[in-house]
Amino acid sequence: MAEKAREYPELRFQGFSGAWEKRKLGDVSDIQGGGTPDSKNQAYWSGDINWFTPTEVSNQGYLSESRRKITKEGLLKSSATLMPPGTVLMTSRAGVGDMGILTQAAATNQGFQSMIPHKEMPSYLLYSMQFFISRMANKLASGSTFMEISGKQLAKIEVMIPGDSQERELLCNFFKNLDDMITVNQRKLNELKKLKKAYLQKMFPKNGVSIPELRFAGFTTPWEKRKLSDISEKVTQKNTNNSFSEVFTNSAERGIISQLDFFDKDIANQKNISGYFIVKNDDFVYNPRISNLAPVGPIKRNKLGRNGVMSPLYYIFRTHSISPSFLEYYFEGTQWHYFMYLNGDTGPRADRFAIKDSVFSTMPIFITSSSEQIQIGSFFKSLDELITVNQRKLDKLKELKKGYLQKMFI
């Protein structure tokens, strides 16, 4: 016997007990597409009408200012439509289902199917249902080149909403407050990351300079230039007897991490890791794979507290006569990128940076006294711990919201 569909959510505010109503999105909102004025006609652009594109919408709540604006003539001469404040924008091509709420009148390009809520449907309630709407929209989306959902398809999607306007309002306020907390914490985390980036630029000498712009009180002597080979040795010890079975990888975002944790499976052939190099705790690893986060490839320190092995494709080096923590943050900065650009290139593979080991080992490293190294390392470690605490808080808030969405909607 088929299970009867729920008529009300698992969790709701006290005092409400009636069944929720099934409504089609087309019955509670007007669905509106977008359009793009002729890009060659300058009279259509640089006006005062906001004109959003899908890359500007990522479930971030309220949308105020677009990157590009169109003129009134551009609006009239295209299929773009001026939509009122409170309209819920939803991306309808490629990445289907990202949403945002307009705070002022605006238009969009054709990558949207937007919902102008009727009077009985609060904008934020519609936005809060993004998880359910986007899931259904993706099921209905079709296309050979990219996934897309039409306005007619979106209008037919059925949602369950409270029949009582007071319950609708309470739900709106609850999720708005939760989203506001997420936004505040995201903003704080972003500011901490920007602060760290600024300190990395100011607390290590710039190219051609031997004194950093910012340093701790009591330190005045110039930093000294050393070659990487003066403070480290290239690791060439192979896992000959298969003494170690855990394979590490070097991620630009997550650092040295177990390959199993990064890929959710072992990529390396366990039978062939005897030719891999042994990586010990505090060893440094250069990964030639380039990305937006690491334009010349990342150099990361093994802080896992255990040994493992890595592919010979990596350049692994073991340091001496220098604080590992200091050097770790030196490589988080960008000053060393200048040497890489001068002495290497992207090579035959566009995703890899090519530089000879013999050249890489001559990289200049500016170092200071051990006491200043320790202070710099401790400073950035404390900043990283603060970033981690705030990241965890943000992640918990997002998980909390996800849990409430599943329990407070049908």
Side-chain angles (χ1 to χ4, degrees), residues 319-355:
T319 61
H320 57 76
S321 308
I322 194 168
S323 162
S325 184
F326 166 82
L327 193 61
E328 174 188 352
Y329 291 111
Y330 181 89
F331 287 127
E332 284 198 25
T334 59
Q335 288 87 337
W336 60 282
H337 290 187
Y338 181 70
F339 168 83
M340 299 292 284
Y341 287 127
L342 283 180
N343 294 278
D345 56 54
T346 54
R349 287 188 56 175
D351 64 337
R352 292 188 183 276
F353 195 87
I355 186 169

Short mmCIF file of all heavy atoms in Angstrom, two decimals, residues 319-355:
data_model
loop_
_atom_site.label_atom_id
_atom_site.label_comp_id
_atom_site.label_asym_id
_atom_site.label_seq_id
_atom_site.Cartn_x
_atom_site.Cartn_y
_atom_site.Cartn_z
N THR A 319 63.69 20.53 4.88
CA THR A 319 64.40 21.75 5.24
C THR A 319 65.30 21.58 6.46
O THR A 319 65.17 20.63 7.23
CB THR A 319 63.39 22.89 5.54
OG1 THR A 319 62.57 22.51 6.63
CG2 THR A 319 62.52 23.16 4.32
N HIS A 320 66.20 22.54 6.62
CA HIS A 320 67.06 22.63 7.81
C HIS A 320 67.42 24.10 8.01
O HIS A 320 67.33 24.91 7.07
CB HIS A 320 68.33 21.78 7.65
CG HIS A 320 69.15 22.13 6.45
ND1 HIS A 320 69.96 23.24 6.36
CD2 HIS A 320 69.24 21.51 5.24
CE1 HIS A 320 70.55 23.29 5.18
NE2 HIS A 320 70.11 22.25 4.46
N SER A 321 67.80 24.47 9.19
CA SER A 321 68.26 25.83 9.51
C SER A 321 67.20 26.89 9.21
O SER A 321 67.53 28.04 8.88
CB SER A 321 69.55 26.18 8.73
OG SER A 321 70.52 25.18 8.91
N ILE A 322 65.93 26.52 9.31
CA ILE A 322 64.84 27.47 9.09
C ILE A 322 63.58 26.95 9.78
O ILE A 322 63.39 25.74 9.90
CB ILE A 322 64.58 27.68 7.57
CG1 ILE A 322 63.70 28.92 7.35
CG2 ILE A 322 63.97 26.45 6.93
CD1 ILE A 322 63.63 29.36 5.89
N SER A 323 62.75 27.86 10.24
CA SER A 323 61.50 27.47 10.88
C SER A 323 60.53 26.94 9.83
O SER A 323 60.20 27.67 8.88
CB SER A 323 60.88 28.67 11.61
OG SER A 323 59.52 28.45 11.89
N PRO A 324 60.04 25.70 9.96
CA PRO A 324 59.08 25.16 8.98
C PRO A 324 57.82 26.01 8.89
O PRO A 324 57.28 26.21 7.79
CB PRO A 324 58.78 23.76 9.52
CG PRO A 324 59.94 23.40 10.36
CD PRO A 324 60.40 24.69 10.97
N SER A 325 57.37 26.54 10.02
CA SER A 325 56.15 27.34 10.03
C SER A 325 56.36 28.65 9.26
O SER A 325 55.50 29.09 8.49
CB SER A 325 55.73 27.64 11.47
OG SER A 325 54.50 28.34 11.51
N PHE A 326 57.52 29.26 9.46
CA PHE A 326 57.86 30.50 8.75
C PHE A 326 57.87 30.25 7.24
O PHE A 326 57.29 31.00 6.46
CB PHE A 326 59.24 31.00 9.21
CG PHE A 326 59.84 32.06 8.34
CD1 PHE A 326 59.47 33.39 8.49
CD2 PHE A 326 60.79 31.73 7.38
CE1 PHE A 326 60.03 34.37 7.67
CE2 PHE A 326 61.36 32.70 6.57
CZ PHE A 326 60.97 34.02 6.72
N LEU A 327 58.54 29.17 6.82
CA LEU A 327 58.64 28.87 5.40
C LEU A 327 57.28 28.51 4.80
O LEU A 327 56.99 28.85 3.65
CB LEU A 327 59.63 27.73 5.18
CG LEU A 327 60.07 27.50 3.72
CD1 LEU A 327 60.77 28.73 3.18
CD2 LEU A 327 60.97 26.28 3.62
N GLU A 328 56.45 27.85 5.58
CA GLU A 328 55.11 27.50 5.12
C GLU A 328 54.34 28.74 4.71
O GLU A 328 53.72 28.78 3.63
CB GLU A 328 54.36 26.77 6.23
CG GLU A 328 52.92 26.47 5.92
CD GLU A 328 52.16 25.93 7.13
OE1 GLU A 328 52.79 25.64 8.18
OE2 GLU A 328 50.92 25.79 7.02
N TYR A 329 54.40 29.79 5.55
CA TYR A 329 53.66 31.00 5.23
C TYR A 329 54.36 31.84 4.16
O TYR A 329 53.70 32.58 3.43
CB TYR A 329 53.41 31.81 6.51
CG TYR A 329 52.44 31.10 7.42
CD1 TYR A 329 52.85 30.54 8.64
CD2 TYR A 329 51.11 30.95 7.05
CE1 TYR A 329 51.96 29.87 9.45
CE2 TYR A 329 50.21 30.27 7.85
CZ TYR A 329 50.64 29.73 9.06
OH TYR A 329 49.75 29.06 9.85
N TYR A 330 55.67 31.69 4.06
CA TYR A 330 56.39 32.34 2.97
C TYR A 330 55.83 31.85 1.63
O TYR A 330 55.59 32.64 0.72
CB TYR A 330 57.88 32.01 3.08
CG TYR A 330 58.74 32.64 2.00
CD1 TYR A 330 59.28 33.92 2.17
CD2 TYR A 330 58.99 31.97 0.80
CE1 TYR A 330 60.07 34.50 1.18
CE2 TYR A 330 59.77 32.54 -0.19
CZ TYR A 330 60.30 33.81 0.00
OH TYR A 330 61.07 34.38 -0.98
N PHE A 331 55.58 30.55 1.54
CA PHE A 331 55.07 29.97 0.30
C PHE A 331 53.57 30.20 0.11
O PHE A 331 53.04 29.98 -0.98
CB PHE A 331 55.40 28.48 0.22
CG PHE A 331 56.84 28.18 -0.04
CD1 PHE A 331 57.56 27.33 0.78
CD2 PHE A 331 57.49 28.78 -1.12
CE1 PHE A 331 58.90 27.06 0.53
CE2 PHE A 331 58.83 28.52 -1.38
CZ PHE A 331 59.54 27.66 -0.55
N GLU A 332 52.88 30.64 1.16
CA GLU A 332 51.47 31.02 1.00
C GLU A 332 51.35 32.40 0.38
O GLU A 332 50.30 32.76 -0.14
CB GLU A 332 50.74 30.97 2.35
CG GLU A 332 50.41 29.56 2.80
CD GLU A 332 49.33 29.52 3.86
OE1 GLU A 332 48.51 30.47 3.90
OE2 GLU A 332 49.31 28.56 4.65
N GLY A 333 52.43 33.17 0.46
CA GLY A 333 52.47 34.47 -0.20
C GLY A 333 52.75 34.31 -1.69
O GLY A 333 52.79 33.19 -2.22
N THR A 334 52.97 35.40 -2.36
CA THR A 334 53.17 35.35 -3.81
C THR A 334 54.52 35.88 -4.26
O THR A 334 54.82 35.89 -5.46
CB THR A 334 52.07 36.17 -4.53
OG1 THR A 334 52.14 37.53 -4.07
CG2 THR A 334 50.69 35.61 -4.25
N GLN A 335 55.38 36.30 -3.32
CA GLN A 335 56.66 36.88 -3.71
C GLN A 335 57.51 35.91 -4.54
O GLN A 335 58.20 36.31 -5.47
CB GLN A 335 57.44 37.33 -2.46
CG GLN A 335 56.88 38.57 -1.78
CD GLN A 335 55.80 38.24 -0.76
OE1 GLN A 335 55.15 37.20 -0.84
NE2 GLN A 335 55.59 39.14 0.19
N TRP A 336 57.44 34.61 -4.22
CA TRP A 336 58.25 33.62 -4.92
C TRP A 336 57.73 33.32 -6.33
O TRP A 336 58.44 32.72 -7.14
CB TRP A 336 58.33 32.33 -4.11
CG TRP A 336 57.00 31.67 -3.84
CD1 TRP A 336 56.07 32.03 -2.90
CD2 TRP A 336 56.44 30.53 -4.53
NE1 TRP A 336 54.98 31.19 -2.96
CE2 TRP A 336 55.18 30.27 -3.93
CE3 TRP A 336 56.89 29.72 -5.56
CZ2 TRP A 336 54.36 29.21 -4.36
CZ3 TRP A 336 56.08 28.68 -5.99
CH2 TRP A 336 54.82 28.43 -5.38
N HIS A 337 56.53 33.76 -6.63
CA HIS A 337 55.96 33.53 -7.96
C HIS A 337 56.79 34.21 -9.05
O HIS A 337 56.88 33.71 -10.18
CB HIS A 337 54.52 34.05 -8.04
CG HIS A 337 53.56 33.24 -7.23
ND1 HIS A 337 52.19 33.45 -7.27
CD2 HIS A 337 53.75 32.22 -6.36
CE1 HIS A 337 51.60 32.60 -6.46
NE2 HIS A 337 52.53 31.85 -5.88
N TYR A 338 57.39 35.36 -8.72
CA TYR A 338 58.18 36.11 -9.71
C TYR A 338 59.31 35.26 -10.25
O TYR A 338 59.56 35.22 -11.47
CB TYR A 338 58.72 37.38 -9.05
CG TYR A 338 59.54 38.26 -9.97
CD1 TYR A 338 58.93 38.98 -11.00
CD2 TYR A 338 60.92 38.37 -9.80
CE1 TYR A 338 59.68 39.79 -11.84
CE2 TYR A 338 61.68 39.18 -10.64
CZ TYR A 338 61.05 39.88 -11.65
OH TYR A 338 61.80 40.67 -12.50
N PHE A 339 60.02 34.56 -9.36
CA PHE A 339 61.11 33.65 -9.78
C PHE A 339 60.57 32.56 -10.70
O PHE A 339 61.20 32.22 -11.71
CB PHE A 339 61.76 33.03 -8.54
CG PHE A 339 62.68 31.89 -8.86
CD1 PHE A 339 64.00 32.12 -9.24
CD2 PHE A 339 62.23 30.58 -8.78
CE1 PHE A 339 64.85 31.07 -9.55
CE2 PHE A 339 63.08 29.51 -9.09
CZ PHE A 339 64.39 29.76 -9.47
N MET A 340 59.40 32.01 -10.36
CA MET A 340 58.83 30.93 -11.15
C MET A 340 58.49 31.41 -12.56
O MET A 340 58.77 30.73 -13.55
CB MET A 340 57.59 30.38 -10.47
CG MET A 340 57.84 29.79 -9.07
SD MET A 340 58.82 28.28 -9.11
CE MET A 340 57.59 27.09 -9.67
N TYR A 341 57.88 32.58 -12.67
CA TYR A 341 57.51 33.11 -13.98
C TYR A 341 58.74 33.38 -14.84
O TYR A 341 58.71 33.21 -16.06
CB TYR A 341 56.69 34.39 -13.83
CG TYR A 341 55.27 34.17 -13.36
CD1 TYR A 341 54.76 34.85 -12.27
CD2 TYR A 341 54.44 33.27 -14.02
CE1 TYR A 341 53.45 34.65 -11.84
CE2 TYR A 341 53.13 33.07 -13.61
CZ TYR A 341 52.64 33.76 -12.51
OH TYR A 341 51.35 33.55 -12.10
N LEU A 342 59.85 33.81 -14.19
CA LEU A 342 61.08 34.10 -14.93
C LEU A 342 61.77 32.84 -15.41
O LEU A 342 62.45 32.85 -16.45
CB LEU A 342 62.06 34.88 -14.05
CG LEU A 342 61.80 36.38 -13.84
CD1 LEU A 342 62.87 36.97 -12.94
CD2 LEU A 342 61.77 37.11 -15.18
N ASN A 343 61.61 31.74 -14.68
CA ASN A 343 62.42 30.55 -14.94
C ASN A 343 61.63 29.33 -15.41
O ASN A 343 62.22 28.27 -15.63
CB ASN A 343 63.20 30.18 -13.68
CG ASN A 343 64.23 31.23 -13.33
OD1 ASN A 343 65.32 31.26 -13.87
ND2 ASN A 343 63.87 32.12 -12.40
N GLY A 344 60.33 29.45 -15.56
CA GLY A 344 59.53 28.31 -16.01
C GLY A 344 58.41 28.76 -16.92
O GLY A 344 58.29 29.94 -17.26
N ASP A 345 57.60 27.82 -17.34
CA ASP A 345 56.44 28.15 -18.16
C ASP A 345 55.42 27.04 -18.00
O ASP A 345 55.63 26.07 -17.25
CB ASP A 345 56.81 28.33 -19.64
CG ASP A 345 57.53 27.12 -20.21
OD1 ASP A 345 56.97 26.00 -20.09
OD2 ASP A 345 58.63 27.27 -20.76
N THR A 346 54.29 27.15 -18.69
CA THR A 346 53.23 26.15 -18.55
C THR A 346 53.57 24.86 -19.26
O THR A 346 52.92 23.84 -19.04
CB THR A 346 51.90 26.70 -19.10
OG1 THR A 346 52.10 27.15 -20.44
CG2 THR A 346 51.41 27.85 -18.24
N GLY A 347 54.58 24.86 -20.13
CA GLY A 347 55.01 23.62 -20.77
C GLY A 347 53.99 23.09 -21.75
O GLY A 347 53.03 23.77 -22.13
N PRO A 348 54.17 21.83 -22.19
CA PRO A 348 53.27 21.25 -23.19
C PRO A 348 51.85 21.02 -22.67
O PRO A 348 50.90 20.96 -23.43
CB PRO A 348 53.94 19.92 -23.56
CG PRO A 348 54.79 19.59 -22.36
CD PRO A 348 55.24 20.90 -21.82
N ARG A 349 51.71 20.86 -21.35
CA ARG A 349 50.38 20.67 -20.75
C ARG A 349 49.93 21.97 -20.11
O ARG A 349 50.61 22.52 -19.25
CB ARG A 349 50.41 19.55 -19.71
CG ARG A 349 50.53 18.17 -20.31
CD ARG A 349 50.37 17.11 -19.25
NE ARG A 349 49.11 17.24 -18.51
CZ ARG A 349 48.70 16.36 -17.60
NH1 ARG A 349 49.43 15.29 -17.34
NH2 ARG A 349 47.56 16.54 -16.97
N ALA A 350 48.77 22.46 -20.53
CA ALA A 350 48.29 23.76 -20.06
C ALA A 350 47.98 23.77 -18.58
O ALA A 350 47.94 24.83 -17.96
CB ALA A 350 47.05 24.16 -20.85
N ASP A 351 47.78 22.59 -17.97
CA ASP A 351 47.43 22.55 -16.55
C ASP A 351 48.64 22.33 -15.65
O ASP A 351 48.49 22.19 -14.44
CB ASP A 351 46.39 21.45 -16.29
CG ASP A 351 46.94 20.06 -16.57
OD1 ASP A 351 47.91 19.95 -17.35
OD2 ASP A 351 46.40 19.09 -16.01
N ARG A 352 49.83 22.31 -16.22
CA ARG A 352 51.04 22.07 -15.42
C ARG A 352 52.09 23.14 -15.69
O ARG A 352 52.27 23.58 -16.82
CB ARG A 352 51.63 20.69 -15.69
CG ARG A 352 50.76 19.56 -15.18
CD ARG A 352 51.47 18.22 -15.29
NE ARG A 352 50.62 17.13 -14.86
CZ ARG A 352 50.45 16.75 -13.60
NH1 ARG A 352 51.10 17.38 -12.65
NH2 ARG A 352 49.65 15.76 -13.30
N PHE A 353 52.79 23.52 -14.62
CA PHE A 353 53.89 24.48 -14.74
C PHE A 353 55.18 23.70 -14.90
O PHE A 353 55.45 22.75 -14.16
CB PHE A 353 53.95 25.34 -13.48
CG PHE A 353 54.79 26.57 -13.64
CD1 PHE A 353 54.23 27.74 -14.13
CD2 PHE A 353 56.14 26.58 -13.31
CE1 PHE A 353 54.99 28.88 -14.28
CE2 PHE A 353 56.91 27.71 -13.45
CZ PHE A 353 56.34 28.87 -13.94
N ALA A 354 55.99 24.09 -15.89
CA ALA A 354 57.22 23.36 -16.18
C ALA A 354 58.44 24.14 -15.70
O ALA A 354 58.66 25.28 -16.11
CB ALA A 354 57.32 23.10 -17.69
N ILE A 355 59.21 23.53 -14.80
CA ILE A 355 60.46 24.11 -14.34
C ILE A 355 61.39 22.97 -13.94
O ILE A 355 60.96 21.99 -13.31
CB ILE A 355 60.24 25.09 -13.15
CG1 ILE A 355 61.54 25.80 -12.79
CG2 ILE A 355 59.61 24.41 -11.96
CD1 ILE A 355 61.35 26.96 -11.82
#
